[in-house]
């Protein structure tokens, strides 16, 4: 008899336990993977359409401010739009330099013969310099002073993007410095960048002093500490991401006001954190998390290795072009290192298309090597 009396009570309570567990599993899942599974998308956000490039924005678990709601709506619409299908897609090469372009000759050689598949933009922040190559003449945009590590650097990058966006055929936007060189011929780089759906924006979490240590709580509520990211400034991005940069003033303002070099607190460098953090929050699956521009930090100094003439050999270039895994090292004690393969449209491929930093004196050697590029590398 006790059995039959308990049964009716027992059954609903089991159901409730199951229900409660299911709800908590979902809630936990939604918290940990807010934009991964379509079922959760369906439940927690409207407008989550199938397909990798129509991801919803990560779901927020607090009340949004008016500006945040407006920003998220705009960004969601931009990401939802089908990728612009230009009949004549071009790559915008955007040079950020104090003035001169010591590798103009090399770039000229690289670009020559590919006339309607690229556009050049030059932001010379210190002095106006006459260009020699017809590909570069008249391509300087209005510029302003740039201070290393300050918001003016991000402003110059935004200025380049805005100018390059004026041409509707520009579909991929590459930021380069005066000390950058191309590692492959035009065809290779063009195909690598145009036939991909992601932006190559370097992005990783560094819990150390030169990573999250630079975060400021003044960035709350919009930017939480757990979302703060770091990465190399040298990005290459798809058109829809360039438009997102134009549309953002909310997150930009947070970096402008609270990610600075200060005498007191930790130094923060907006150009190393703004884009990685923005895209980590807005479209994490839309970025590759590495930069296609190689740089060698292995000497562990404040600046990366800069190559001199004697360093520039076939072997060096072969070494750089054969790297197919990306290393991220944190500034924690002890350091933590992560190694990830570079995956391009589902296959492992070399990570890098460009490299820096090269002294101007290396031009002659690079031109010589570049003349045999296809066969050499
Ligand atoms: C990029 O995505 C679009 C649809 O969103 C698809 O049609 C196209 O094939 C994709 N391209 C590549 C190279 O994956
Ligand atoms: C980049 O990293 C984020 C996590 O921060 C991840 O969600 C995303 O899938 C990664 N992108 C690619 C293309 O693997
Ligand atoms: C190229 O890589 C090999 C193997 O890692 C290394 O031994 C060599 O020193 C590298 N050469 C240059 C010029 O970087």
């Amino acid at each position: 008899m006790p059995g039959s009396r308990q049964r009716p009570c027992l059954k609903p309570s089991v159901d409730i336990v199951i229900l409660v567990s299911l709800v908590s599993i979902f809630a936990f899942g939604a918290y940990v993977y807010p934009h991964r599974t379509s079922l959760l998308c369906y439940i927690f956000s409207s407008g989550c359409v199938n397909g990798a490039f129509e991801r919803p924005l990560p779901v927020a678990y607090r009340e949004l401010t008016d500006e945040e709601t407006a920003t998220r709506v705009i960004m969601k619409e931009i990401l939802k739009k089908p990728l612009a299908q230009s009949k004549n897609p071009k790559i915008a090469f955007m040079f950020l330099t104090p003035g001169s372009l010591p590798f103009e000759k090399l770039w000229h050689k690289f670009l020559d013969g590919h006339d309607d598949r690229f556009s050049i933009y030059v932001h010379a922040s210190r002095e106006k310099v006459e260009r020699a190559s017809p590909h570069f003449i008249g391509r300087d945009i209005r510029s302003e002073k740039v201070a290393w590590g300050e918001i003016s650097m991000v402003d110059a990058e935004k200025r380049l993007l805005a100018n390059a966006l004026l041409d509707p055929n520009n579909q991929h936007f590459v930021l380069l410095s005066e000390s950058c060189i191309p590692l492959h011929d035009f065809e290779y780089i063009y195909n690598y960048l145009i036939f991909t759906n992601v932006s190559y924006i370097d992005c990783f979490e560094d819990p150390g002093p030169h990573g999250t240590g630079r975060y400021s709580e003044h960035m709350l509520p919009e930017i939480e500490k757990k979302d703060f990211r770091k990465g190399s400034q040298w990005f290459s991005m798809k058109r829809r991401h360039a438009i997102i940069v134009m549309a953002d003033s909310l997150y930009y303002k947070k970096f402008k006001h609270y990610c600075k070099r200060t005498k007191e607190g930790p130094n923060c460098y907006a150009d190393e954190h703004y884009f990685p953090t923005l895209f980590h929050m807005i479209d994490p699956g839309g970025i590759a998390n590495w930069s296609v521009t190689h740089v060698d930090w292995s000497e562990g100094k404040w600046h990366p290795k800069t190559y001199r003439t004697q360093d520039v050999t076939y072997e060096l270039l072969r070494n750089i072009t054969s790297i197919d895994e990306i290393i991220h090292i944190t500034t924690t004690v002890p350091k933590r290192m992560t190694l990830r393969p570079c995956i391009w449209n589902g296959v492992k491929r070399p990570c890098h298309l460009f490299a820096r930093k090269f002294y101007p004196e290396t031009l002659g050697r690079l031109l010589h090597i570049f003349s045999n590029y296809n066969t050499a590398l």
Side-chain angles (χ1 to χ4, degrees):
M1 284 321 265
S4 66
R5 266 180 70 196
Q6 270 171 2
R7 202 161 263 192
C9 315
L10 193 68
K11 207 170 178 224
S13 70
V14 168
D15 286 349
I16 287 167
V17 168
I18 291 172
L19 188 67
V20 167
S21 333
L22 269 177
V23 166
S24 6
I25 288 167
F26 258 117
F28 179 72
Y31 176 74
V32 179
Y33 304 109
H35 46 272
R36 291 263 172 91
T37 66
S38 53
L39 181 56
L40 289 173
C41 287
Y42 184 74
I43 292 172
F44 289 98
S45 126
S46 54
C48 175
V49 194
N50 282 339
F53 299 95
E54 291 177 336
R55 286 170 300 273
L57 297 183
V59 183
Y61 293 94
R62 55 186 166 76
E63 199 168 65
L64 301 181
T65 63
D66 290 349
E67 197 181 357
E68 231 178 334
T69 310
T71 301
R72 280 171 178 264
V73 165
I74 292 168
M75 292 187 175
K76 194 166 167 173
E77 289 298 316
I78 296 171
L79 291 178
K80 242 168 57 180
K81 283 235 153 40
L83 294 171
Q85 295 297 324
S86 159
K87 283 215 181 73
N88 176 30
K90 294 200 270 184
I91 294 181
F93 294 100
M94 312 182 301
F95 290 85
L96 194 55
T97 169
S100 68
L101 292 170
F103 299 114
E104 190 180 339
K105 246 189 188 159
L106 184 68
W107 284 102
H108 176 89
K109 202 164 182 168
F110 165 81
L111 297 166
D112 226 22
H114 304 280
D115 276 2
D116 20 308
R117 295 200 289 164
F118 67 85
S119 329
I120 300 288
Y121 302 87
V122 184
H123 186 287
S125 53
R126 211 180 302 150
E127 50 171 353
K128 287 270 165 280
V129 174
E130 292 229 356
R131 312 287 168 206
S133 155
H135 299 313
F136 284 85
I137 291 173
R139 303 308 302 174
D140 278 61
I141 64 163
R142 193 191 68 79
S143 65
E144 285 184 23
K145 283 211 176 69
V146 171
W148 182 66
E150 293 187 2
I151 197 73
S152 54
M153 182 73 96
V154 173
D155 293 339
E157 294 172 5
K158 287 177 67 172
R159 202 170 290 124
L160 279 164
L161 282 174
N163 277 272
L165 278 166
L166 288 172
D167 181 343
N169 286 328
N170 286 334
Q171 295 296 315
H172 203 102
F173 302 74
V174 184
L175 183 70
L176 298 158
S177 81
E178 76 284 0
S179 68
C180 285
I181 65 151
L183 289 168
H184 294 274
D185 64 12
F186 186 88
E187 208 62 39
Y188 182 101
I189 290 182
Y190 182 87
N191 290 336
Y192 197 108
L193 294 179
I194 292 291
F195 299 108
T196 183
N197 276 328
V198 296
S199 292
Y200 295 93
I201 295 171
D202 189 30
C203 175
F204 75 109
E205 187 173 14
D206 174 5
H210 294 172
T212 316
R214 296 170 175 172
Y215 172 79
S216 155
E217 279 183 357
H218 287 112
M219 292 185 173
L220 286 172
E222 293 90 347
I223 303 169
E224 295 177 44
K225 195 171 187 172
K226 68 173 175 52
D227 289 326
F228 197 71
R229 289 293 180 281
K230 172 170 150 173
S232 153
Q233 146 193 30
W234 306 102
F235 64 77
S236 97
M237 63 171 79
K238 304 309 290 181
R239 189 173 179 94
R240 67 181 192 286
H241 286 153
I243 296 173
I244 281 192
V245 171
M246 297 297 107
D248 175 43
S249 72
L250 172 68
Y251 301 106
Y252 166 80
K253 275 188 290 184
K254 293 282 169 170
F255 284 87
K256 178 171 177 160
H257 296 308
Y258 307 116
C259 178
K260 304 188 198 195
R261 295 163 73 187
T262 52
K263 289 209 184 70
E264 320 79 63
N267 280 330
C268 185
Y269 301 88
D271 58 278
E272 284 186 7
H273 299 281
Y274 170 50
F275 287 155
T277 305
L278 174 69
F279 288 104
H280 169 72
M281 292 178 67
I282 296 301
D283 192 17
I287 60 171
N289 301 320
W290 86 81
S291 166
V292 287
T293 301
H294 177 265
V295 67
D296 182 357
W297 284 104
S298 65
E299 290 179 341
K301 297 190 185 144
W302 194 241
H303 286 287
K305 180 173 173 67
T306 307
Y307 302 106
R308 297 207 164 275
T309 305
Q310 64 266 27
D311 301 321
V312 178
T313 57
Y314 282 100
E315 191 188 332
L316 173 77
L317 294 175
R318 244 193 324 266
N319 277 6
I320 296 176
T321 50
S322 61
I323 295 169
D324 58 5
E325 286 176 330
I326 283 291
I327 300 178
H328 281 132
I329 301 172
T330 65
T331 53
T332 48
V333 183
K335 291 180 171 153
R336 267 187 280 140
M337 201 176 90
T338 49
L339 199 66
R340 289 223 170 77
C342 292
I343 305 291
W344 182 90
N345 286 349
V347 286
K348 191 172 178 187
R349 282 192 69 181
C351 310
H352 302 298
L353 304 177
F354 311 99
R356 55 194 289 273
K357 305 175 67 160
F358 290 81
Y359 279 113
E361 63 178 45
T362 58
L363 176 65
R365 249 197 111 70
L366 285 167
L367 278 171
H368 174 74
I369 294 181
F370 199 69
S371 65
N372 311 312
Y373 239 45
N374 291 325
T375 47
L377 299 166

